[in-house]
């Protein structure tokens, strides 16, 4: 069974802390994504990566960075967490080429920044 | 600037009846459209898709209709079942990308009553 695994289901952090969200996929997918889900706003793309060490900004990259050192792992980093980064974070992966729009999502990490 | 809009935050339907979820888009570059379904505490899962060269795609109880001139698509579920109760996200992608970069709508909460 294909899987995208996010390391934490719930996280509580303090303002100003550096936060790491980890995501691992076992499908040998080239593409990986980080989205955040907020009520009334749907899913918004933060960053994506189409290959190891490659990354591109999504629609809302401010305050975030990412790392992809290995094909199966994609990390989202909040350099200095702020309360407006309280959200549900969803990692996803997909194949390259045709069918790349069929994303496989993890279960999400609910991050609260206090 | 919400390029994909789902104007109905929620929809309530009786079991056995038809559910119709609507989605509008503004970006003329979008030419591939998808619906994802999300249960609580789970990530979204791919449901059905349609390319702009078609106006209808059917998969079992689920049918997606695309009206390009109106920049509108809809998802029909017939007959609706209580297990269909979930949040439904519409998503769109331009042909130019093979990276699976999607723009999502805000989501519609569907409740199917027994």
């Amino acid at each position: 069974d294909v899987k995208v695994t996010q390391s934490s289901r719930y996280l509580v952090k303090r303002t100003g802390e550096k936060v790491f969200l980890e995501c691992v996929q076992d499908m040998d997918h080239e593409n990986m994504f980080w989205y955040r889900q907020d009520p009334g706003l749907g899913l918004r793309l933060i960053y994506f990566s189409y290959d190891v060490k490659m990354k591109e900004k999504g629609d809302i990259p401010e305050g975030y960075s990412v790392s992809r050192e290995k094909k199966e792992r994609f990390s989202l980093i909040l350099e200095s967490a702020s309360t407006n980064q309280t959200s549900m974070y969803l990692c996803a992966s997909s194949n390259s080429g045709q069918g790349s729009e069929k994303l496989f999502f993890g279960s999400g990490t609910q991050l609260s920044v206090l | 600037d919400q390029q994909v809009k789902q104007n109905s935050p929620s929809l309530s339907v009786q079991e056995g009846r038809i559910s119709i979820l609507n989605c509008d888009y503004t970006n003329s570059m979008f030419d591939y459209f998808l619906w994802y379904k999300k249960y609580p505490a789970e990530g979204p899962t791919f449901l059905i898709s349609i390319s702009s060269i078609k106006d209808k795609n059917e998969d079992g109880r689920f049918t997606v209709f695309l009206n390009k001139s109106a920049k509108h698509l809809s998802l029909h579920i017939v007959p609706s079942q209580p297990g269909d109760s979930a949040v439904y996200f519409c998503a769109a992608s331009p042909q130019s990308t093979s990276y699976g970069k999607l723009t999502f709508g805000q989501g519609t909460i569907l409740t199917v009553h027994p």
Side-chain angles (χ1 to χ4, degrees):
Chain A
D1 197 14
V2 296
K3 251 191 158 176
V4 177
T5 303
Q6 294 183 231
S7 55
S8 304
R9 183 73 183 101
Y10 297 98
L11 271 181
V12 180
K13 297 292 182 180
R14 296 271 181 208
T15 303
E17 278 192 76
K18 191 168 185 175
V19 182
F20 293 86
L21 301 183
E22 307 286 345
C23 175
V24 177
Q25 51 99 359
D26 65 0
M27 295 167 279
D28 201 35
H29 284 165
E30 286 77 15
N31 305 326
M32 295 189 75
F33 308 84
W34 276 105
Y35 284 87
R36 63 178 279 178
Q37 181 193 353
D38 299 289
L41 297 176
L43 278 68
R44 293 179 292 164
L45 181 63
I46 304 170
Y47 266 97
F48 70 101
S49 168
Y50 53 89
D51 201 353
V52 175
K53 297 192 186 293
M54 306 304 290
K55 59 186 178 185
E56 293 221 2
K57 294 179 180 179
D59 300 316
I60 51 165
E62 298 77 19
Y64 303 94
S65 62
V66 290
S67 172
R68 191 158 179 212
E69 297 295 319
K70 293 185 177 181
K71 189 175 186 180
E72 68 271 17
R73 188 179 296 270
F74 193 35
S75 303
L76 180 69
I77 303 151
L78 287 66
E79 297 291 342
S80 177
S82 63
T83 54
N84 62 12
Q85 292 178 309
T86 291
S87 186
M88 169 65 76
Y89 289 88
L90 291 160
C91 175
S93 69
S94 75
N95 270 321
S96 61
Q98 195 167 6
S100 61
E101 296 84 0
K102 186 176 178 182
L103 271 56
F104 293 84
F105 282 88
S107 298
T109 296
Q110 179 63 52
L111 173 66
S112 297
V113 182
L114 306 178
Chain B
D1 177 28
Q2 193 83 25
Q3 297 185 61
V4 178
K5 296 181 185 180
Q6 296 175 253
N7 292 316
S8 298
S10 62
L11 175 67
S12 183
V13 170
Q14 205 68 31
E15 181 179 6
R17 305 295 288 269
I18 185 171
S19 296
I20 300 176
L21 295 95
N22 293 302
C23 178
D24 298 295
Y25 62 97
T26 58
N27 189 337
S28 299
M29 299 302 293
F30 290 148
D31 74 342
Y32 191 71
F33 304 90
L34 308 92
W35 286 92
Y36 282 79
K37 173 176 166 179
K38 185 181 185 300
Y39 291 118
E42 295 182 15
T45 54
F46 169 77
L47 186 58
I48 193 169
S49 63
I50 188 166
S51 166
S52 61
I53 61 173
K54 294 185 174 182
D55 55 16
K56 176 182 173 181
N57 188 29
E58 197 170 348
D59 183 2
R61 297 185 296 112
F62 302 91
T63 303
V64 56
F65 295 92
L66 176 62
N67 182 334
K68 282 176 291 185
S69 61
K71 293 191 176 68
H72 177 84
L73 62 154
S74 60
L75 175 68
H76 293 211
I77 306 173
V78 183
S80 301
Q81 299 174 353
D84 296 329
S85 298
V87 181
Y88 288 78
F89 291 99
C90 170
S93 173
Q95 187 178 21
S96 59
T97 180
S98 66
Y99 299 140
K101 184 182 168 189
L102 301 180
T103 300
F104 284 85
Q106 305 97 310
T108 297
I109 301 170
L110 173 66
T111 304
V112 180
H113 298 283

